């Protein structure tokens, strides 16, 4: 008998091939949807122990910053897409120029990569944004603070995620070390929001758009910890307005695939905070909570297939992220969590546990928000901390 | 950049390892559930182009009839289980004797492998069965037919599935060529059934049992073509009786993992037809139609984890198998099917299309049986035959 054999390379694909650049948990969760549809998912990983590389036969090792690696990876793919936003824009343009079908395209994706371009474009098309400006020195920040009030939020133009690349500055002195780092920055008005909402939409190359229900996201230290679907007690008109904004951004920017729009709900209405053009943490609830998961939807969109129904499968869905604690062992805790709640859905990303790292999530479904939320929180706290709440 | 790299062999598992012997569509669909739970699924395949081998990194090539291959495969697995029933019973006993955790064990599985032993055991524990007898020659068949009426159903004691190994004989002459083949046979009374039902239950090593709702299965030429969940208009007492029979068989036979019990509904009540101890075609509807899919349930059971909720996610679920037609091309038909019905769920097993072969299935969910059934049938006929119904 042979030891583990390489099937992906030796066996011609039967279905369409989708190549995803990056091999984190988003690519990993996309694999479940790909298997069902008979789509062959290929990933570009930096290392064979990455989350998606562990579960995808056609894993290629390479560097997403190197055009030759990207070109080699894209060969034979019916569509190329992304698990993260860090691929250089120029490389994406080069791939498209060579005839590869890349979704989203560089001209759309750049708005999820470059916060200054994103703000310019959204402002130009009339989407509500916080006041903002490019800033280069303390004088700029001081002027911005005096015009729009303190604190001022500084954001790295490129490369930030999960709270990284964001600094809340109460004064020009606070801003000094950030400015000294030399990275390109924008300043944004600090928005006094009531809560954070997210709208996930999909758009296919032929222009079909679909919106999932608006959700509420709960953040801690800039990291999403909880998603409530649908957003509780949200005025139906405001919900429709939020979906309209997200669909309009997708259309105006020419997004293909998924677009997640993070928004602030304020006393005066909605303000767009961030964009992501890929499956998104705010959409993990759709795996069990919607008739079409965000991962299936993304595959359908990038292959230009008709989009699937975003209808919910339960009146209330709550997703809670599992953030790594001090204990590397999760599996021994499955027993309690599953015995305590036969309906809880546990997702683990096959990643080494490190403090604060997103290592999985749990989803609970039901009819009463407080009950469902308590179930999801109980499971999450027990799995990550071993504490019975 | 490297060409496709072997991740499964080089990367130590983070989660529990479940080894499934066989690499057909049941193993393939189990992979989706394994990925979510962070369970590392390993399969024993005969060839790298088998359905599951295409999507499972830790695919081992070997022969399920060879004990050394099975032993090598089982090393490092927290549980070993099956995609089919064809592993020799003695080999399974040998693995267990060597300390491997095999679920179901040989003493249970043999009742899904050997129809004579199954009938003996079910009769002994008082489960309703058709009249039956071991038969060796025309005189035996004639005597059976005179005692219980014609036609007589001859079944191969071992190795039959999907209608293979079953012969309906109207006379001793009909039986002659079957008897001449020399294979071990039983005769069974031909049951005048009203319809066929199936009950899927799970049982874990520590004895927890769970039953899914009773479904109606529609067979054509011995192959399941359609499953209606729950079985329409089934008397609740009869449904409870059917579930009770299946749970009792699981307990009495010591089944670990899934047990599918196929039954005939007759004017006089229920009669057990066949047993399978693995994920089963009659349970594919649970992927979207139940809070815990049969594939997740099987993994939980063989790892002795608490079982998941079998609650349905919609009042009516219909699954229709995709049987290969003359045209090898399915993917071009996704477009119509998905545009026509955004809620339809398409599953394709990554198998070459051959006439009559099970190559996938579709699932529709909703509230009205006739509507849901028409949706599922439309998708299936269009996908396999290109005919708009």
């Amino acid at each position: 008998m042979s030891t583990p054999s390489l099937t992906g390379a030796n066996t011609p694909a039967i279905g369409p091939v989708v190549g995803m650049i990056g091999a984190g948990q988003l690519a990993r969760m996309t694999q479940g949807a790909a298997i069902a549809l008979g789509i062959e998912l290929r990933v570009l990983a930096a290392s064979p122990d990455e989350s998606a590389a562990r579960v995808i036969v056609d894993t290629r090792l390479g560097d997403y910053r190197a055009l030759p690696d990207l070109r080699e990876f894209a060969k034979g793919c019916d569509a190329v897409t992304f698990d993260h936003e860090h691929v250089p824009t120029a490389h994406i343009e080069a791939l498209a120029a060579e005839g590869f079908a890349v979704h989203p395209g560089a001209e759309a994706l750049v708005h999820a990569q470059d916060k200054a371009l994103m703000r310019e474009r959204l402002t130009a098309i009339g989407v509500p944004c916080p006041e903002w400006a490019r800033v280069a020195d303390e004088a700029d920040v001081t002027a911005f603070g005096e015009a729009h009030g303190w604190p001022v939020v500084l954001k790295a133009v490129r490369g930030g995620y999960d709270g990284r690349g964001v600094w809340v500055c109460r004064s020009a002195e606070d801003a000094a070390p950030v400015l000294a780092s030399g990275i390109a920055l924008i300043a944004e008005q600090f928005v006094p929001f009531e809560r954070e909402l997210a709208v996930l939409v999909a758009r296919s190359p032929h222009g079909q758009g679909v919106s999932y229900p608006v959700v509420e996201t709960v953040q801690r230290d800039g990291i999403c910890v909880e998603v409530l679907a649908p957003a509780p007690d949200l005025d139906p008109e405001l919900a429709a307005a939020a979906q309209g904004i997200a669909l309009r951004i997708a259309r105006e920017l020419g997004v293909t695939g998924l677009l997640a729009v993070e928004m602030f709900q304020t006393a005066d209405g909605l303000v767009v905070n961030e964009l992501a053009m890929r499956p998104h943490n705010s959409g993990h609830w759709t795996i069990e909570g919607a008739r079409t998961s965000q991962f299936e939807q993304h595959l359908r969109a990038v292959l230009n297939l008709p989009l699937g129904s975003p209808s919910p499968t339960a009146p209330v869905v709550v997703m809670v992220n599992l953030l790594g604690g001090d204990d590397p062992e999760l599996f021994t805790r499955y027993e309690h969590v599953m015995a305590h709640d036969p309906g809880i859905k546990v997702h683990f990303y096959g990643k080494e546990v490190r403090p604060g790292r997103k290592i999985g999530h749990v989803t609970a479904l039901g009819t009463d928000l407080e009950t469902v939320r308590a179930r999801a929180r109980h499971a999450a706290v027990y799995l990550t901390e071993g504490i019975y709440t």
Side-chain angles (χ1 to χ4, degrees), chain A residues 109-147:
Chain A
L109 186 63
V110 71
H111 299 97
Q113 297 181 308
D114 185 308
K115 293 190 201 300
L117 291 180
M118 181 267 280
R119 287 293 176 217
E120 278 172 2
R121 186 65 183 276
L122 295 191
T123 307
I125 63 175
V127 165
C129 290
E131 297 293 334
W132 73 281
R134 292 180 192 263
V135 289
D137 53 31
E138 283 188 54
D140 290 346
V141 175
T142 301
F144 188 88
E146 286 174 1

Side-chain angles (χ1 to χ4, degrees), chain A residues 35-241:
Chain A
I35 291 173
L37 288 174
I39 293 166
E40 311 239 354
L41 188 62
R42 174 187 299 178
V43 290
L44 182 64
S47 145
D49 64 2
E50 286 186 274
S51 180
R54 292 174 172 274
V55 300
I56 291 176
V57 174
D58 194 359
T59 291
R60 314 282 175 110
L61 297 182
D63 184 348
Y64 64 83
R65 296 160 300 192
L67 182 57
D69 283 11
L70 295 172
R71 188 183 285 130
E72 187 62 29
F73 176 78
K75 280 181 190 164
C77 289
D78 295 286
V80 174
T81 187
F82 307 96
D83 164 271
H84 58 68
E85 279 112 4
H86 309 316
V87 179
T89 314
H91 291 354
I92 301 173
E93 286 167 349
L95 290 178
E98 291 170 27
F100 295 109
V102 186
H103 298 293
E107 69 292 351
L109 186 63
V110 71
H111 299 97
Q113 297 181 308
D114 185 308
K115 293 190 201 300
L117 291 180
M118 181 267 280
R119 287 293 176 217
E120 278 172 2
R121 186 65 183 276
L122 295 191
T123 307
I125 63 175
V127 165
C129 290
E131 297 293 334
W132 73 281
R134 292 180 192 263
V135 289
D137 53 31
E138 283 188 54
D140 290 346
V141 175
T142 301
F144 188 88
E146 286 174 1
H148 304 296
W150 298 92
V152 166
V153 181
L154 293 186
K155 290 184 175 177
V157 167
R158 280 189 172 251
Y161 68 99
D162 275 358
R164 281 180 257 193
V166 177
W167 301 269
V168 178
C169 302
R170 312 205 159 267
S171 65
E173 293 80 64
D174 274 6
V178 184
L179 290 158
S181 69
I183 57 172
L185 295 167
I186 60 170
E188 286 186 358
Q189 177 191 16
F190 184 89
V191 176
F193 60 83
E194 295 171 351
R195 60 174 169 174
E196 294 187 73
L197 303 175
V199 188
L200 186 67
V201 299
R203 184 173 174 277
S204 52
H206 72 278
Q208 189 189 10
V210 156
S211 176
Y212 286 93
V214 181
V215 301
E216 176 176 342
T217 64
V218 181
Q219 322 272 331
R220 195 186 304 146
D221 301 330
I223 297 179
C224 172
V225 292
E226 209 169 281
V227 172
L228 315 178
D233 305 319
L234 181 62
D235 178 81
E237 282 186 31
L238 204 62

